[in-house]
């Protein structure tokens, strides 16, 4: 299966929110693993998602 250059609509938000939840409940490593696996086809999105999760995690503490 070939993936498009752009992720499906809503996919990035879903991965980010899932990673944020995992990082809050299990640990930051779990959140990072979800981001890495979910966004490995879109490396440009990965860096932005990591920054977003870290920022949101700080805001909720």
């Amino acid at each position: 299966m070939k993936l498009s250059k752009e992720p499906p609509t809503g996919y990035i938000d879903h991965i980010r929110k899932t990673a944020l939840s995992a990082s809050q409940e299990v640990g930051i490593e779990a959140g990072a693993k979800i981001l890495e696996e979910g966004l490995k086809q879109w490396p440009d999105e990965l860096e932005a998602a990591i920054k977003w999760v870290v920022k949101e995690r700080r805001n909720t503490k």
Side-chain angles (χ1 to χ4, degrees), residues 7-19:
T9 304
Y11 181 76
I12 299 295
D13 286 337
H14 171 72
I15 293 294
R16 289 188 323 185
K17 289 175 183 175
T18 301

Side-chain angles (χ1 to χ4, degrees), residues 2-59:
K2 186 171 177 143
L3 296 174
S4 70
K5 291 184 179 185
E6 294 295 319
T9 304
Y11 181 76
I12 299 295
D13 286 337
H14 171 72
I15 293 294
R16 289 188 323 185
K17 289 175 183 175
T18 301
L20 177 60
S21 177
S23 71
Q24 291 171 334
E25 300 296 324
V26 180
I28 194 68
E29 295 86 8
K33 186 69 173 173
I34 289 170
L35 290 174
E36 288 173 356
E37 290 297 316
L39 299 175
K40 63 185 169 188
Q41 297 296 324
W42 302 283
D44 294 338
E45 298 289 342
L46 177 60
E47 187 175 335
I50 290 170
K51 289 178 182 177
W52 182 87
V53 169
V54 169
K55 184 182 87 174
E56 290 298 314
R57 193 165 184 258
R58 285 184 189 153
N59 290 340

